[in-house]
Amino acid sequence: MTNYNIITEFLCLLVALYVFKGHRSSFWWLFIPFLFFTFLVEVLAMYAWRDNNWLYNLYVLAQFSFFSFFFYRVTGHRLLRRLILVSALIFLGYALFEYSFRRSFAVFNLLLFTLDCFFMVLFAIFFLLYCIGENNVSNISFQFPPLWITIGVVIFFSIASIVFNAYQFIRSHNLKLGGIYLDNIAPQILSLIMYSCFAYAFLQWKKLLTK
């Protein structure tokens, strides 16, 4: 089966390069190295390393750190920022404990991935609460790009956590779509949705910048 994740990630990276090149002073520029790392992990996992679980474990940690930072920056409420910071420290502390004393880094850690999904949706909700608290039209317009990032994050992580945890159920009940197991096709559809939301958010960011 063709890995369409690589294609969608690469296209999203191209949009990020087009929009954020020359804007290193903005934290949005960090999407370029993050998306490049995402693309690189996918390519290496697909073509270079057969035993690639450690790559995905590494990516979960990098992904969590990046989006924690992103939501911390776009969420202006002090209390919500503190909750994000505390949650991030708890997750990373638990990850350190897991890999130091309980599980090998060479085995994909479904528990940490599930916690990653939980916190991503939680941080997205924090940002939405912040948006609801804002009633200034100019502020709302500047929240539009991160709002699309939030939509993509909520759709991907809320469903992906269910699909990955239902792996055994899907395989034992032979659940397929077009002859492909749901646990194979669902992440690719979710990635297409999420990275499309990201690309649109980038273009909206550029549009606001030129106003």
Side-chain angles (χ1 to χ4, degrees):
M1 178 182 176
T2 303
N3 191 332
Y4 293 103
N5 288 352
I6 294 176
I7 299 173
T8 54
E9 289 160 4
F10 181 70
L11 292 176
C12 189
L13 174 61
L14 290 180
V15 176
L17 285 167
Y18 165 71
V19 171
F20 302 125
K21 184 180 179 181
H23 295 287
R24 288 198 175 198
S25 59
S26 171
F27 69 90
W28 281 80
W29 177 87
L30 293 173
F31 269 100
I32 294 176
F34 172 70
L35 289 172
F36 176 75
F37 178 70
T38 302
F39 174 72
L40 182 63
V41 166
E42 203 72 57
V43 170
L44 291 176
M46 187 75 178
Y47 300 108
W49 276 288
R50 194 164 189 174
D51 296 325
N52 52 32
N53 288 324
W54 68 273
L55 266 176
Y56 287 114
N57 284 331
L58 177 64
Y59 180 72
V60 166
L61 297 177
Q63 174 184 257
F64 176 85
S65 300
F66 176 79
F67 283 115
S68 296
F69 171 77
F70 175 80
F71 282 114
Y72 181 86
R73 290 296 302 268
V74 298
T75 303
H77 195 280
R78 183 176 295 179
L79 176 60
L80 295 179
R81 275 188 161 192
R82 287 179 179 174
L83 288 172
I84 291 173
L85 184 59
V86 170
S87 299
L89 291 174
I90 291 174
F91 176 87
L92 293 174
Y94 182 72
L96 180 62
F97 171 77
E98 274 280 296
Y99 292 127
S100 298
F101 302 106
R102 295 190 62 190
R103 306 188 187 191
S104 170
F105 200 70
V107 178
F108 181 68
N109 197 311
L110 182 60
L111 175 59
L112 279 178
F113 175 75
T114 304
L115 287 174
D116 174 37
C117 293
F118 168 77
F119 280 118
M120 289 302 98
V121 175
L122 182 64
F123 295 167
I125 291 173
F126 286 164
F127 175 69
L128 292 176
L129 289 174
Y130 167 66
C131 289
I132 292 171
E134 294 291 309
N135 54 15
N136 185 292
V137 174
S138 61
N139 286 340
I140 292 173
S141 65
F142 280 105
Q143 290 162 3
F144 195 60
L147 186 60
W148 276 100
I149 298 291
T150 303
I151 291 170
V153 165
V154 169
I155 292 173
F156 180 89
F157 287 100
S158 59
I159 302 176
S161 61
I162 297 172
V163 171
F164 277 84
N165 279 280
Y167 172 83
Q168 295 296 339
F169 179 85
I170 292 171
R171 292 300 172 118
S172 63
H173 288 77
N174 204 34
L175 299 179
K176 296 181 179 181
L177 182 63
I180 304 170
Y181 282 107
L182 290 181
D183 59 286
N184 283 333
I185 195 170
Q188 305 213 40
I189 295 173
L190 293 173
S191 291
L192 175 61
I193 295 172
M194 182 173 71
Y195 290 115
S196 295
C197 288
F198 285 8
Y200 185 70
F202 301 161
L203 295 173
Q204 289 301 311
W205 185 89
K206 184 178 180 64
K207 184 178 178 181
L208 286 173
L209 195 67
T210 56
K211 279 190 175 181

